[in-house]
Amino acid sequence: MLNDLATSYAGLPDQAARAVNFCMFAAAGLLGAMSRRNNVSITRTQYFVRLSLLGFAIALSGVAYVFTMPAIEHNLYWVITVYPLLFAMVAGFVLGRLSVARALDIGGQKQLAILGFIPVLNLYLLLKSGRTRPGIIRSGSASLLSGGKGVMIGLAIIMLGAYTSFNFKTSAFTIDDQQQLSAKLGKIANDLQPMLPITTGETVDLVMIKAARNELQRTYIVYDPAFAFTADSHDQIAAYLCSDPKIALLVNAGAVFVENYVTSQKHINTFRVSRTDCSH
């Protein structure tokens, strides 16, 4: 059941998934802001360094990509789906508390913390100089994390986070992961083999399927002699395959679906659906 829910969530359009993620992020931020009741504030440099550390933590969370295929193999796909949502909530909670502390430093009003969640306007919290106010206590800070030194450390953390995020996204699937992907495609081919031929349309049957490394090759026989593909057939086939969350997940993991169409006498066309087709 959990895997079915996770698959349904993965099938949401990108904009809808981002909206769900941001709503949970913002709700956790509101909870974090409301739960912070003391009057200890932080300076803009302290705020910047803490935001840098939060961004670095988010970059490190990308390590979850490495476990996508193992999760599928062990029927734990829901864990990989829930993980980023939980992390978004933790990040929102922390940002809410940090933004309240910064809001106290610049204006003494906790309501200004909402700016921390609004693009561009959040620069106000980051750049506005603070003032000493009655009842507001400034947090102590090591000299290394204040002034120009703090800014340099924050920038270094941001650069390290960007490098880490890029590295995870480009190298998430190691040789072992590719072997698992190949095994997964092989299992799909073996499971479907006894069912062939499979009717997929009024005049089209799936007659052969095999896995080769990261490719799943399927051959369809077309019985209508007047059948012909149009200029946008590749896009239509790619859209159809990528609309299936399980197929899209495999493709985004590096799988390539090779769709061969033949008649009893000749080859008609071959379409390759890869990661770029499912990332639109």
Side-chain angles (χ1 to χ4, degrees):
M1 179 179 177
L2 290 175
N3 282 328
D4 291 338
L5 291 174
T7 301
S8 298
Y9 176 76
L12 290 176
D14 288 345
Q15 291 183 344
R18 290 193 191 100
V20 171
N21 194 284
F22 180 77
C23 286
M24 299 186 72
F25 173 75
L30 177 62
L31 179 61
M34 293 177 63
S35 67
R36 196 179 191 282
R37 301 187 180 278
N38 62 51
N39 288 327
V40 178
S41 66
I42 56 177
T43 66
R44 52 187 171 184
T45 302
Q46 292 171 329
Y47 184 62
F48 177 62
V49 173
R50 285 165 172 78
L51 287 183
S52 301
L53 289 171
L54 181 60
F56 181 65
I58 292 173
L60 283 180
S61 71
V63 71
Y65 290 116
V66 175
F67 300 102
T68 300
M69 289 309 301
I72 295 174
E73 291 291 336
H74 294 86
N75 203 32
L76 293 173
Y77 177 53
W78 66 271
V79 175
I80 296 299
T81 304
V82 170
Y83 170 78
L85 295 176
L86 291 177
F87 199 90
M89 293 175 66
V90 172
F93 184 85
V94 172
L95 180 58
R97 294 179 69 85
L98 290 177
S99 297
V100 167
R102 181 66 189 128
L104 290 173
D105 192 59
I106 63 176
Q109 297 178 347
K110 293 184 178 181
Q111 292 84 343
L112 288 174
I114 194 174
L115 297 180
F117 294 84
I118 304 175
V120 181
L121 293 182
N122 55 10
L123 292 176
Y124 181 79
L125 286 182
L126 185 61
L127 301 176
K128 177 69 174 176
S129 59
R131 290 182 289 174
T132 302
R133 296 175 177 274
I136 304 299
I137 305 170
R138 274 199 170 180
S139 173
S141 177
S143 59
L144 192 62
L145 300 180
S146 60
K149 293 179 181 178
V151 172
M152 293 301 294
I153 289 175
L155 290 174
I157 294 172
I158 290 174
M159 293 175 64
L160 180 60
Y163 172 79
T164 302
S165 179
F166 176 79
N167 190 57
F168 278 143
K169 288 181 179 180
T170 56
S171 306
F173 294 94
T174 61
I175 294 176
D176 182 59
D177 295 316
Q178 291 297 333
Q179 290 175 344
Q180 292 188 49
L181 176 61
S182 180
K184 179 67 175 179
L185 296 177
K187 184 177 185 303
I188 292 174
N190 291 335
D191 289 346
L192 289 178
Q193 200 70 40
M195 305 179 189
L196 298 179
I198 300 174
T199 300
T200 60
E202 293 183 1
T203 59
V204 180
D205 284 350
L206 173 63
V207 295
M208 187 173 71
I209 182 169
K210 68 176 183 177
R213 294 188 178 181
N214 69 324
E215 291 186 356
L216 188 68
Q217 302 172 6
R218 302 191 291 189
T219 300
Y220 302 84
I221 187 168
V222 180
Y223 300 106
D224 183 1
F227 182 86
F229 288 103
T230 61
D232 62 347
S233 291
H234 176 272
D235 292 339
Q236 292 178 359
I237 291 173
Y240 174 75
L241 291 177
C242 296
S243 66
D244 185 325
K246 293 182 179 179
I247 292 179
L249 185 66
L250 290 169
V251 171
N252 287 326
V256 178
F257 278 66
V258 182
E259 307 287 272
N260 299 302
Y261 289 84
V262 301
T263 67
S264 58
Q265 298 178 336
K266 65 177 183 178
H267 171 265
I268 302 177
N269 212 332
T270 295
F271 301 94
R272 296 175 64 87
V273 178
S274 60
R275 183 180 297 159
T276 55
D277 298 301
C278 288
S279 61
H280 296 158

